[in-house]
């Protein structure tokens, strides 16, 4: 056990209020890919709590100090959080309740409210320790539900009792704070034992060796929930489905068709045709009236990192194919199979295998070779397991890129990645890169010196501090673009994540989040109203915003030069796919062309254009129904009424309701047989 000092605890009722008559110290480790990447220490003395939380993973991580004062019921009346957030943004958060009045301030803003008793406060930058506190308070609440401050409510669900080693624990899910349920384990005395996540696990010190068991437990709990949701939300039909009164987007002409009907039988499109006058659908068909809307092939996210729960968000956003660019390999292989078999909801997943180098900045996913022969063997392993692409990461040895790329190409795989530290994009292209991941990984080659380390947050801050004054007509820029044209090198832009990082400002809602954010749970809303970086002065603040515009200008230049750009997000919510497409249009690319880039061009790049990427007889049934005309404004893709993926029918409104999110558009109406 990790307790340094014996806890003299009592339980409040039978509801696990964690109270102390003396001092106690709880210590936790943060584990990613079986390696310790951080720690949490909670010192508790009667009603006072002091927390130190630090993580360093992939060159970034939060570092905060917290102080809490609890009342007799265990609810914080004062909560102060100071430090740095994930990418180094300043954290100075405070909640105070006294004499019937609550006040709070954080990155998302400040507020106050009259309340006779303090409500449970949901932090913006708190450590995972807070979820143990939330769970203990919810255990005492009626129906295990509480209204919380600043707004919203939390709900606790008991999932399973089990043991970790010889310690009895109970698994719970907390919903209402974030997009997905937070899963945690409480010990018998009500203290937090672990907070579970597929990528990082917080676990009580001394139980680090049990992380694999904990992640298996967490995954099984999530999969069980998602299986039930798939059964409820995926509509299956053995009879033809006729979608009438729609216009179909044609990626070849980049225009909408005349009004037609599209018929699907099982997972294939049977016909796309104009109905004769007076035509009545056969009695055995399921009929959907498209109300003059647009039928568009399913959208793509060409830079994803999938989890079990990302699938529903993608489907609700109309994304039917994603390319996973780095993940836990065992999870990804299993997840892909479960989705392909229809057991779990989610888009088609094209897998890329991540290969990294060993350093203090290493990403803790994928594979890390110690020698070049081992790196070559890793390429072969990925190929043998059906991965179609290699992704090289920040700490990889630049001298190994060429031989790894040669072996990948021999096996029919593409090669992409971040540009490894101390290597230029030009050299990466010459050594075999078919594609560069992230627009900043391209631009950094024009901004930094040969000895500057892009494994750190410099890969973000240099984009803000230096890119604003970059001359896109300079010789170095023109040389790289010429090299990309010569080698047919693509760019996976993920412009949305650059906008999110560079344009984030505390207390403000970004333009890309404004259309949907007020539909979200309170914790997610607060998270999106934050700044990820600090600014030394007003001039630097302005430079970051100018840098965003500079990247859009570069996108237009690359488009004009014929460089293939692949829309991706480095995110899993689906909402950022919509914003990525809006940014393509904002850069000056016509909306009708953006639609092609997001559908057919992605499938052609992946090699599946014969069966996917457009709506035509004989192709697989992957498409979405919109009420508007996205060829004029791609923002129309935010209003999806229907999604079909591999012949399974989903209604985004139903998915969002199941996820605790207010829907954005009404579901299309079915008539005819429904079995």
């Amino acid at each position: 056990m990790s307790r340094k000092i014996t806890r003299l605890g009592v339980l409040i009722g039978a509801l696990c209020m964690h109270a102390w008559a003396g001092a106690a110290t709880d210590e936790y480790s943060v584990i990613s890919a079986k390696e310790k990447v951080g720690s949490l220490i909670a010192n508790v003395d009667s009603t006072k709590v002091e927390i130190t939380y630090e993580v360093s993973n992939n060159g970034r991580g939060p570092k905060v100090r917290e102080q809490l004062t609890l009342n007799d019921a265990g609810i914080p009346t004062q909560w102060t959080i100071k430090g740095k957030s994930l990418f180094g943004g300043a954290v100075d958060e405070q909640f105070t309740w006294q004499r019937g009045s609550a006040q709070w301030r954080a990155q998302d803003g400040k507020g106050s409210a009259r309340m006779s008793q303090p409500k449970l406060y949901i932090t913006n930058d708190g450590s995972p320790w807070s979820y143990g506190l939330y769970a203990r308070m919810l255990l005492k609440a009626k129906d295990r539900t509480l209204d919380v401050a600043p707004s919203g409510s939390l709900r606790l669900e008991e999932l399973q009792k089990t043991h970790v080693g010889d310690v009895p624990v109970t698994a719970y899910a907390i919903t209402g704070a974030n997009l997905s349920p937070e899963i945690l384990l409480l010990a018998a005395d009500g203290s937090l034992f672990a907070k579970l996540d597929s990528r990082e696990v917080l676990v009580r010190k001394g139980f680090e060796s049990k992380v694999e068991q904990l992640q298996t437990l967490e995954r099984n709990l999530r999969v069980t929930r998602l299986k039930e949701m798939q059964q409820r939300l995926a509509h299956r039909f053995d009879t033809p489905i006729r979608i009438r009164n729609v216009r179909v987007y044609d990626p070849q002409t980049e225009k909408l068709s005349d009004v037609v009907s599209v018929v699907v039988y099982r997972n294939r499109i049977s016909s796309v045709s104009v109905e004769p006058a007076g035509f009545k659908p056969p009695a055995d068909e399921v009929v959907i009236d498209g109300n003059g809307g647009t039928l568009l092939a399913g959208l793509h996210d060409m830079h994803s990192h999938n989890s079990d729960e990302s699938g529903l968000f993608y489907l609700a956003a109309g994304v039917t194919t994603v390319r996973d660019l780095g993940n836990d390999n065992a999870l990804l292989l299993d997840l892909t199979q479960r989705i392909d078999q229809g057991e779990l909801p989610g888009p088609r997943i094209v897998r890329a295998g991540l290969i990294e180098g060993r350093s203090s900045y290493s990403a803790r996913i994928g594979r890390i070779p110690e020698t070049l022969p081992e790196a070559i063997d890793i390429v072969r392993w990925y190929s043998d397991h059906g991965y179609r692409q290699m992704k090289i990461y920040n700490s990889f040895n630049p001298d190994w890129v060429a031989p790894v790329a040669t072996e990948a190409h021999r096996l029919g795989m593409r090669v992409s990645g971040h540009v490894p530290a101390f290597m230029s994009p030009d050299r990466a292209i010459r050594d075999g890169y078919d594609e560069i991941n992230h627009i900043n990984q391209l631009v950094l080659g024009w901004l930094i010196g040969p000895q500057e380390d892009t494994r750190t947050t410099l890969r973000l801050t240099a984009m803000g501090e230096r890119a604003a004054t970059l001359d896109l007509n300079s010789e170095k820029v023109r040389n790289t673009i010429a090299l990309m044209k010569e080698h047919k090198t693509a760019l996976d832009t993920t412009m949305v994540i650059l906008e999110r990082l560079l344009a984030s400002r505390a207390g403000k809602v970004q333009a890309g989040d404004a259309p949907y954010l007020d539909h979200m749970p309170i914790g997610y809303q607060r998270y999106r109203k934050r700044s990820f970086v600090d600014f030394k002065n007003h001039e630097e603040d302005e430079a970051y915003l100018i840098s965003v515009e500079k990247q859009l200008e570069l996108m237009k230049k690359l488009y004009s030069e014929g460089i293939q750009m692949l829309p991706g997000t480095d995110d899993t919510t689906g909402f950022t796919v919509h914003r990525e497409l809006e940014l393509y249009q904002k850069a000056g690319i016509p909306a009708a062309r953006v639609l092609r880039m997001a559908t057919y061009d992605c499938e052609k790049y992946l090699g599946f254009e014969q069966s996917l990427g457009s709506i035509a007889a004989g192709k697989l049934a992957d498409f979405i129904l919109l009420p508007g005309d996205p060829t004029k404004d791609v923002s129309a893709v935010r209003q999806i009424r229907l999604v079909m993926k591999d012949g399974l029918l989903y209604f985004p409104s139903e998915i969002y309701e199941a996820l605790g999110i207010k829907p954005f558009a009404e579901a299309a109406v079915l008539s005819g047989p429904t079995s």
Side-chain angles (χ1 to χ4, degrees):
M1 302 288 287
S2 65
R3 313 292 170 87
K4 291 182 176 179
I5 303 174
T6 302
R7 174 176 295 152
L8 304 175
V10 294
L11 302 181
I12 294 182
L15 298 173
C16 303
M17 167 57 202
H18 200 24
W20 298 268
T25 299
D26 289 343
E27 295 189 55
Y28 302 86
S29 295
V30 181
I31 308 296
S32 177
K34 301 181 182 178
E35 297 184 22
K36 183 176 178 180
V37 298
S39 63
L40 188 153
I41 301 173
N43 295 305
V44 183
D45 187 358
S46 186
T47 59
K48 301 291 185 181
V49 184
E50 293 188 354
I51 297 167
T52 301
Y53 177 55
E54 296 186 350
V55 176
S56 180
N57 190 3
N58 192 12
R60 61 199 183 206
K63 296 171 177 59
V64 297
R65 305 288 186 271
E66 299 180 68
Q67 293 182 325
L68 294 85
T69 300
L70 310 178
N71 67 9
D72 291 342
I75 296 177
T77 57
Q78 185 166 340
W79 197 333
T80 301
I81 307 168
K82 293 180 180 292
K84 299 290 185 180
S85 61
L86 179 66
F87 284 94
V91 173
D92 185 5
E93 182 172 359
Q94 185 170 26
F95 170 83
T96 302
W97 177 90
Q98 57 183 354
R99 295 188 294 274
S101 177
Q103 295 182 329
W104 58 87
R105 71 165 191 265
Q107 286 206 61
D108 65 314
K110 60 184 180 179
S112 63
R114 298 292 300 175
M115 52 184 76
S116 58
Q117 296 297 324
K119 289 184 178 181
L120 193 60
Y121 175 71
I122 305 303
T123 67
N124 198 3
D125 282 291
S127 70
W129 188 90
S130 61
Y131 285 94
L133 172 66
Y134 299 158
R136 290 190 294 275
M137 296 301 100
L138 287 162
L139 281 167
K140 300 174 61 179
K142 181 181 179 182
D143 300 325
R144 295 187 175 180
T145 301
L146 278 175
D147 291 335
V148 294
S151 65
S153 63
L154 295 186
R155 183 176 181 275
L156 184 73
E157 178 185 357
E158 182 175 325
L159 301 177
Q160 182 178 326
K161 294 184 183 298
T162 186
H163 283 75
V164 180
D166 60 353
V167 178
V169 296
T170 304
Y172 294 95
I174 294 179
T175 56
N178 292 306
L179 294 184
S180 298
E182 301 286 352
I183 295 181
L184 60 153
L185 304 181
L186 296 187
D189 64 356
S191 63
L192 179 66
F193 183 87
K195 183 173 180 295
L196 308 184
D197 186 86
S198 61
R199 294 190 174 93
E200 283 186 358
V201 172
L202 180 90
V203 63
R204 186 174 292 174
K205 186 177 179 181
F207 291 85
E208 292 88 349
S209 64
K210 304 296 184 182
V211 164
E212 189 171 347
Q213 172 194 344
L214 295 175
Q215 287 183 306
T216 298
L217 170 64
E218 183 253 354
R219 181 139 200 265
N220 289 340
L221 293 171
R222 292 191 187 276
V223 165
T224 297
R225 170 178 173 266
L226 288 166
K227 281 183 179 179
E228 183 277 327
M229 295 179 79
Q230 171 75 338
Q231 289 297 315
R232 179 159 46 93
L233 298 172
H235 301 272
R236 297 170 170 85
F237 300 95
D238 288 329
T239 60
I241 302 172
R242 178 179 295 271
I243 306 175
R244 311 179 75 184
N245 190 21
V246 291
R247 298 178 185 272
V248 171
Y249 171 75
D250 180 356
Q252 304 305 321
T253 64
E254 300 179 12
K255 295 180 179 179
L256 300 185
S257 71
D258 294 332
V259 175
V260 297
S261 283
V262 176
V263 179
V264 173
Y265 182 59
R266 294 182 177 168
N267 72 333
R268 294 231 173 230
I269 298 170
S270 303
S271 65
V272 179
S273 63
V274 177
E275 291 182 357
F279 175 83
K280 292 185 178 180
D284 69 337
E285 290 187 352
V286 173
V287 178
I288 300 171
D289 189 341
N291 298 118
T294 299
L295 219 57
L296 174 72
L299 303 175
H300 293 65
D301 187 345
M302 295 295 277
H303 194 127
S304 72
H305 299 282
N306 295 272
S307 66
D308 292 311
E309 291 179 316
S310 64
L312 278 174
F313 289 98
Y314 272 129
L315 291 174
V319 179
T320 56
T321 299
V322 299
R323 184 179 56 166
D324 193 296
L325 282 172
N327 215 318
D328 177 275
N329 292 310
L331 181 148
L332 185 60
L333 288 167
D334 181 71
L335 177 61
T336 303
Q337 182 179 33
R338 289 176 185 265
I339 290 175
D340 289 346
Q341 293 173 346
E343 180 183 347
L344 293 181
R348 302 173 190 275
I349 300 176
V350 178
R351 299 187 298 275
L354 190 144
I355 188 168
E356 169 69 305
R358 175 66 63 186
S359 80
S360 59
Y361 301 104
S362 298
R364 267 70 176 191
I365 57 175
R367 304 281 292 274
I368 302 178
E370 303 296 337
T371 65
L372 177 56
E374 186 182 349
I376 298 298
D377 286 341
I378 288 172
V379 175
R380 293 167 182 163
W381 185 92
Y382 278 125
S383 176
D384 291 345
H385 287 77
Y387 288 68
R388 299 177 62 86
Q389 184 167 327
M390 291 299 304
K391 179 186 179 182
I392 294 170
Y393 211 61
N394 297 319
S395 296
F396 198 70
N397 187 334
D399 293 335
W400 294 0
V401 169
V404 161
T406 297
E407 181 63 12
H409 291 153
R410 184 186 73 82
L411 295 168
M413 303 172 75
R414 275 200 178 92
V415 176
S416 74
H418 291 202
V419 177
F422 315 115
M423 187 183 198
S424 70
D426 291 14
R427 180 184 170 188
I429 293 169
R430 290 191 181 98
D431 283 358
Y433 269 39
D434 302 296
E435 172 192 334
I436 291 175
N437 301 130
H438 306 296
I439 194 169
N440 64 306
Q441 290 290 319
L442 175 66
V443 175
L444 285 170
W446 307 322
L447 301 178
I448 65 171
Q451 300 305 314
E452 292 187 285
D453 193 346
T454 54
R455 295 172 299 181
T456 69
T457 53
L458 177 68
R459 62 186 188 262
L460 165 64
T461 57
M463 293 296 296
E465 296 166 356
R466 308 180 194 181
T469 57
L470 176 64
D471 179 3
L472 294 179
N473 293 312
S474 64
E475 183 178 3
K476 57 187 175 183
V477 174
R478 287 188 283 107
N479 287 344
T480 301
I481 293 176
L483 196 63
M484 294 178 76
K485 292 173 71 172
E486 177 187 348
H487 289 261
K488 296 182 172 57
T489 309
L491 175 65
D492 153 33
T493 47
T494 65
M495 183 60 211
V496 63
I497 212 71
L498 264 294
E499 180 193 44
R500 171 157 284 167
L501 295 173
L502 297 174
S504 61
R505 297 294 183 273
K508 295 183 179 179
V509 178
Q510 290 196 38
D513 296 323
Y516 71 88
L517 195 60
D518 62 353
H519 291 234
M520 300 295 109
I522 181 59
Y524 187 79
Q525 289 189 40
R526 301 195 73 199
Y527 182 77
R528 285 296 166 225
K529 300 175 187 177
R530 54 158 52 195
S531 178
F532 287 97
V533 292
D534 286 334
F535 305 108
K536 300 183 185 71
N537 49 49
H538 175 72
E539 288 72 22
E540 186 173 280
D541 185 322
E542 287 296 309
Y544 273 66
L545 297 177
I546 294 170
S547 176
V548 174
E549 298 303 317
K550 184 71 71 171
Q551 309 320 305
L552 296 176
E553 184 182 343
L554 173 61
M555 287 175 63
K556 179 61 181 298
K557 185 179 186 69
L558 293 172
Y559 169 72
S560 300
E561 292 284 353
I563 303 299
Q564 179 160 16
M565 291 186 291
L566 306 166
T569 70
D570 204 9
D571 187 43
T572 57
T573 65
F575 301 113
T576 43
V577 174
H578 302 157
R579 181 56 179 171
E580 177 83 349
L581 302 185
E582 290 173 342
L583 289 171
Y584 274 55
Q585 185 175 359
K586 186 177 179 181
I589 304 172
R593 174 57 61 89
V594 174
L595 296 178
R596 174 181 171 127
M597 297 169 76
T599 55
Y600 180 81
D601 286 354
C602 290
E603 292 296 346
K604 186 174 182 180
Y605 187 79
L606 296 170
F608 301 132
E609 75 274 17
Q610 296 302 314
S611 56
L612 290 162
S614 61
I615 299 170
K619 287 199 167 187
L620 291 168
D622 283 23
F623 52 72
I624 60 180
L625 174 64
L626 313 169
D629 181 356
T631 66
K632 300 294 191 297
D633 184 355
V634 295
S635 295
V637 300
R638 292 185 180 273
Q639 305 293 320
I640 302 173
R641 301 186 63 203
L642 171 155
V643 176
M644 183 168 282
K645 182 257 175 176
D646 203 29
L648 293 179
L649 195 61
Y650 297 89
F651 299 108
S653 60
E654 292 183 349
I655 295 176
Y656 286 131
E657 286 176 354
L659 294 171
I661 296 170
K662 182 182 176 182
F664 301 90
E666 293 184 358
V669 179
L670 301 172
S671 61
T674 57
S675 59

